[in-house]
Amino acid sequence: MVHGMEWTIKELFVYPNEFIYWSIQIVMYPYMTGLVAGAFVLSSLYHVFGQKDLRGIARFSLVFSLALLPTAMMPLQMHLLQPFRGLNVMFTPHFTSAIAAFGIVFSTYAMIVLSEIWFVYRKFFVDQSHALKGKQGFANVLKYFTYTVLTLGAFDTSDRAIAIDKKGVKILAGIGIPVACFLHGYAGFIFGSVKANALWMSPLMPVIFIMSAVVSGIALCMLTYIIIMEWKKFRAKLAKGRGDESVKELGGVEIDVITKTSRYLLGFLIAAISLELLDLIFRGYTAMKSWDILRDVMFDTDFTKIFILQYGFGNLIPFILLLIPKPSIKRMVVALILVLYGVFMMRWNVVIGGQAFSLSFEGFMHYDLPIIPHNLETYKEGLFGALTVIVTPFVLFWGINKLVPSLRDA
Amino acid sequence: MSTSRRKFLKTAVAGCAVASLPLTAFKTLSPAEAKASIGNDKVRWVFLVDIQKCVGCGFCVKACKSENEIPYNVPVTRTWVERYVITKDGKSHIDTPHGGRDGYTDPTIREQDINPDDITKAFFLPKLCNQCQNPACVQVCPVGATYQTLDGVVLVDKKWCIGCGYCVMACPYGARFFHPVDKVADKCTFCYHRINKGLKSACVQACSFGARLMGNLKDPDDPVTHTIMTQRVGILKDEYGTKPQVYYIGLDERVR
Ligand code: SF4
Ligand code: SF4
């Protein structure tokens, strides 16, 4: 069976070799990369620009971006037809290719995130290591060893050393912002530079990708933060009763952090939408040869996906929800889920939409997402493959959070 | 303690530098660069299609499939023949069932019967990889598994291709696909294994009507070169800047 045949439906004239070769995993790839980049940018806003109001969410989003990191790689790996050769990219990077440097950019970024987390948590590691020293029990010994190794031998917790740590964090966060943007702008470049594809080819693509990345990253961090805080509140309620001070306090902190973060979300959302609309208007106005088929795709076959689901539900409604004064957690949750959905739809409409028409401009292709997998390929390139990618960062976060509690002083 | 940390940081940086060394070392071994030195730089293989002569029998498609081991019953193919029927209302009716493998014996196009009196012009159009001078597919391959030989033919290293599909996406002509058995990128090679031995490519050999020819553009005495130099020939989609090297006699503006 030819790759792509199982989920491609052709209409009118399409070249014989054309199929939807880049399917759901390639939708997931920029989506997950975007979440990573966005989460990091959010945490850096606090560390670099001293946006005090983001303090509560900054640590959390830093650790979360670490959990998201491997999942940016995952969809790419899953989509390769020769997954075991994936490492070839590191051995023989062919630098005229926009994908070739991915490994390098990605590892640079990973190193920055890891070292930043180390600087943020070094004192904590040292404290833990001291506290656990000499304690009995297998778990304690194991923990002791883990934390001691994590200190990397730097046990100094004098004020001077802590000040250096802080400076380290600041510098790394500073370098991290351009690298995170580059990482994602680069994902945009992978698409934007495919000259054969009329929908993708646009110099705006990298910028559009960066903006929507930050939007999705912030939204996911906020949402996860709310879920965790609600859980905390719920537990406090169980333990101490509904009207307890600590419950009220948690709720107060939560709404405060969320309201403040949502302002940044709004800003980036506006930037993202304006760029996307600019791109659309420009294409219509210049009306190059490809415009006829693009118009058919946008205003006919994909109209619901683009204008109703992406712009309507994904952008307009959450935009209004975020703007209404006196925010409530419930409304925020709805808005955030919609924002995340909107960005996902944007990725979908770019990746799948870009393959919705034939290179001949005389026909269309439809992607029929495989739901129930009946072989490895339909699993990887189907709904469950995508769900695997979505679930992974949360599992990882749960694990990492055991070692580096990112919510403690939030 | 802070000195030991400084030392640690230094070691870490040095370690990273050492770790990244092999990467730069490997770069010189890039298959694209290594393999690109194969071939004969006195030769530039080109293809010439005389559209006026093509009758749409599909023998070339069949010959190609068996010569290059592309499974017969899958829709992908290294070369294919399109049918164009232009009617009085100005519409193009285009199709290529099975890449034209079985020839065009049925006058219906996509279940549509076209009244012969409405037809203003009709022709068949063979297509294959254009072995571009400036190939988009080679540019985008992240591992250098797709490369260009000195005599201008673009090839895929089947043992090194990771199956990312970037080249498939980048080719404006839809020349590429994933081989259904090998699971790597595949496309027409001008029958590189044959032309290097002085044989004709499978499709050229199979075409009894002389619609397909191959030659060496660097040899002024080559009849194909002579035709390209002296007659009015066209190429496909030159707006992409790939500089395709498959030339067509009698190309029509309707061709997509
Ligand atoms: S026609 Fe396509 S596959 Fe062939 S060389 Fe040109 S870009 Fe590459
Ligand atoms: S599918 Fe293979 S030949 Fe094509 S770009 Fe990817 S690695 Fe290169």
Side-chain angles (χ1 to χ4, degrees):
Chain A
M1 182 74 87
V2 180
H3 183 73
M5 218 173 122
E6 289 188 84
W7 52 77
T8 308
I9 301 164
K10 296 185 177 187
E11 195 188 317
L12 301 176
F13 177 63
V14 176
Y15 295 141
N17 296 334
E18 279 187 284
F19 291 96
I20 309 259
Y21 286 108
W22 280 4
S23 65
I24 185 83
Q25 291 298 349
I26 302 296
V27 177
M28 296 309 292
Y29 160 64
Y31 192 57
M32 299 316 277
T33 322
L35 292 177
V36 180
F40 186 82
V41 168
L42 179 60
S43 84
S44 297
L45 285 175
Y46 165 69
H47 291 298
V48 181
F49 304 111
Q51 303 288 345
K52 290 269 172 330
D53 41 0
L54 295 180
R55 184 163 190 268
I57 206 165
R59 273 189 166 203
F60 161 71
S61 51
L62 180 62
V63 175
F64 200 53
S65 81
L66 177 66
L68 281 164
L69 207 58
T71 51
M73 217 48 163
M74 228 172 119
L76 272 188
Q77 188 73 23
M78 283 180 79
H79 131 94
L80 293 185
L81 254 69
Q82 298 287 347
F84 297 116
R85 295 187 193 163
L87 261 187
N88 289 8
V89 182
M90 300 292 235
F91 294 147
T92 57
H94 183 240
F95 285 112
T96 56
S97 163
I99 297 183
F102 183 74
I104 295 162
V105 179
F106 186 78
S107 2
T108 314
Y109 176 70
M111 271 194 285
I112 292 176
V113 175
L114 278 171
S115 11
E116 188 179 333
I117 292 183
W118 184 74
F119 277 115
V120 171
Y121 284 97
R122 194 184 62 87
K123 185 169 177 300
F124 174 78
F125 296 150
V126 175
D127 292 348
Q128 289 294 311
S129 156
H130 284 319
L132 287 162
K133 200 172 188 167
K135 278 207 180 145
Q136 298 297 314
F138 179 69
N140 280 335
V141 174
L142 191 71
K143 263 185 168 174
Y144 168 72
F145 270 113
T146 316
Y147 282 119
T148 314
V149 168
L150 282 173
T151 61
L152 299 175
F155 285 101
D156 186 356
T157 49
S158 65
D159 287 348
R160 213 181 121 251
I162 298 294
I164 295 177
D165 282 353
K166 285 233 169 85
K167 208 166 151 207
V169 171
K170 201 162 175 177
I171 294 172
L172 284 168
I175 309 173
I177 295 182
V179 176
C181 288
F182 185 74
L183 176 73
H184 197 68
Y186 173 81
F189 189 81
I190 290 178
F191 294 98
S193 64
V194 177
K195 60 183 169 188
N197 192 302
L199 185 77
W200 294 346
M201 202 185 94
S202 157
L204 281 182
M205 207 53 107
V207 206
I208 292 179
F209 266 55
I210 292 175
M211 288 308 158
S212 51
V214 180
V215 168
S216 62
I218 295 183
L220 183 67
C221 283
M222 287 169 75
L223 190 65
T224 319
Y225 181 81
I226 291 180
I227 294 171
I228 292 166
M229 290 305 272
E230 288 300 318
W231 172 242
K232 278 190 164 184
K233 268 200 310 198
F234 177 70
R235 285 216 301 209
K237 264 183 214 162
L238 279 188
K240 298 177 185 152
R242 190 166 283 273
D244 193 80
E245 268 307 300
S246 66
V247 176
K248 278 200 196 119
E249 202 182 300
L250 278 174
V253 172
E254 183 186 7
I255 192 81
D256 202 42
V257 167
I258 290 303
T259 323
K260 283 167 178 161
T261 320
S262 71
R263 280 187 221 129
Y264 296 89
L265 179 64
L266 262 179
F268 283 107
L269 193 59
I270 293 173
I273 302 173
S274 326
L275 282 169
E276 276 167 53
L277 287 179
L278 172 64
D279 190 56
L280 182 66
I281 292 167
F282 199 78
R283 283 170 196 276
Y285 190 78
T286 53
M288 304 286 280
K289 189 172 162 191
S290 55
W291 176 243
D292 281 339
I293 190 99
L294 287 184
R295 192 180 42 207
D296 282 349
V297 169
M298 286 178 188
F299 296 105
D300 189 19
T301 48
D302 279 3
F303 182 83
T304 328
K305 284 189 210 120
I306 296 179
F307 290 99
I308 304 198
L309 299 181
Q310 179 189 333
Y311 287 118
F313 283 95
N315 291 340
L316 190 67
I317 298 180
F319 189 74
I320 296 169
L321 287 178
L322 288 170
L323 271 184
I324 302 174
K326 292 218 193 90
S328 78
I329 289 294
K330 276 198 198 98
R331 202 171 71 219
M332 282 294 174
V333 170
V334 176
L336 292 173
I337 291 176
L338 285 177
V339 165
L340 282 170
Y341 174 72
V343 175
F344 179 81
M345 277 320 285
M346 180 248 166
R347 307 287 190 244
W348 177 285
N349 290 331
V350 168
V351 176
I352 305 294
Q355 299 169 80
F357 54 94
S358 161
L359 291 168
S360 66
F361 295 161
E362 293 282 345
F364 301 94
M365 288 190 285
H366 302 284
Y367 175 48
D368 190 10
L369 178 78
I371 309 273
I372 309 292
H374 58 84
N375 56 16
L376 190 62
E377 197 160 32
T378 39
Y379 159 72
K380 288 201 305 183
E381 307 268 349
L383 181 68
F384 285 92
L387 288 179
T388 314
V389 174
I390 292 182
V391 170
T392 312
F394 295 97
V395 177
L396 286 176
F397 178 72
W398 177 81
I400 297 173
N401 203 44
K402 293 241 159 219
L403 274 184
V404 281
S406 57
L407 296 154
R408 193 154 286 194
D409 67 347
Chain B
M1 271 300 168
S2 62
T3 46
S4 79
R5 183 165 56 184
R6 187 169 308 144
K7 222 194 261 160
F8 163 74
L9 284 175
K10 264 190 198 151
T11 333
V13 169
C16 290
V18 170
S20 55
L21 251 184
L23 280 182
T24 32
F26 271 121
K27 209 223 137 206
T28 52
L29 291 176
S30 152
E33 283 153 331
K35 291 262 175 130
S37 54
I38 68 166
N40 179 354
D41 63 0
K42 303 259 175 339
V43 178
R44 199 325 161 184
W45 292 110
V46 288
F47 209 99
L48 181 65
V49 180
D50 192 339
I51 300 170
Q52 325 259 26
K53 289 184 180 161
C54 178
V55 298
C57 63
F59 284 178
C60 49
V61 181
K62 280 200 189 102
C64 175
K65 282 211 157 187
S66 66
E67 173 69 30
N68 295 299
E69 293 174 357
I70 309 298
Y72 193 70
N73 277 324
V74 293
V76 291
T77 170
R78 287 185 174 194
T79 183
W80 67 98
V81 179
E82 295 167 2
R83 165 167 64 176
Y84 285 74
V85 174
I86 320 295
T87 42
K88 283 182 185 148
D89 56 5
K91 283 204 178 106
S92 309
H93 306 266
I94 321 168
D95 72 343
T96 176
H98 297 285
R101 179 193 73 189
D102 304 329
Y104 292 92
T105 46
D106 188 350
T108 47
I109 295 186
R110 265 181 272 104
E111 283 139 42
Q112 204 188 333
D113 281 319
I114 293 166
N115 180 357
D117 293 337
D118 290 339
I119 298 175
T120 54
K121 59 180 162 185
F123 53 90
F124 299 104
L125 193 102
K127 280 189 182 172
L128 63 163
C129 166
N130 291 278
Q131 314 296 355
C132 306
Q133 195 61 39
N134 181 20
C137 54
V138 172
Q139 182 186 34
V140 300
C141 178
V143 294
T146 281
Y147 58 97
Q148 192 174 30
T149 62
L150 290 178
D151 35 22
V153 176
V154 173
L155 301 175
V156 182
D157 183 344
K158 288 199 163 195
K159 295 215 174 64
W160 202 251
C161 167
I162 59 175
C164 64
Y166 205 9
C167 57
V168 183
M169 290 299 157
C171 171
Y173 305 95
R176 288 181 168 251
F177 54 90
F178 280 121
H179 194 284
V181 181
D182 300 341
K183 305 282 176 205
V184 288
D186 200 293
K187 69 164 192 69
C188 159
T189 62
F190 275 10
C191 281
Y192 201 64
H193 57 293
R194 291 175 60 94
I195 54 177
N196 268 317
K197 290 189 206 136
L199 298 170
K200 285 178 178 172
S201 76
C203 60
V204 170
Q205 180 149 338
C207 182
S208 344
F209 301 89
R212 287 173 175 250
L213 294 170
M214 258 170 94
N216 171 12
L217 199 61
K218 287 188 181 161
D219 175 7
D221 299 326
D222 191 309
V224 169
T225 310
H226 187 257
T227 311
I228 294 172
M229 292 301 179
T230 55
Q231 301 203 11
R232 277 157 286 181
V233 288
I235 48 170
L236 298 175
K237 303 192 184 187
D238 70 333
E239 66 271 26
Y240 291 102
T242 47
K243 306 203 175 77
Q245 298 298 319
V246 173
Y247 294 87
Y248 290 88
I249 300 175
L251 196 61
D252 191 82
E253 50 92 21
R254 293 285 175 144
V255 171
R256 291 288 169 254

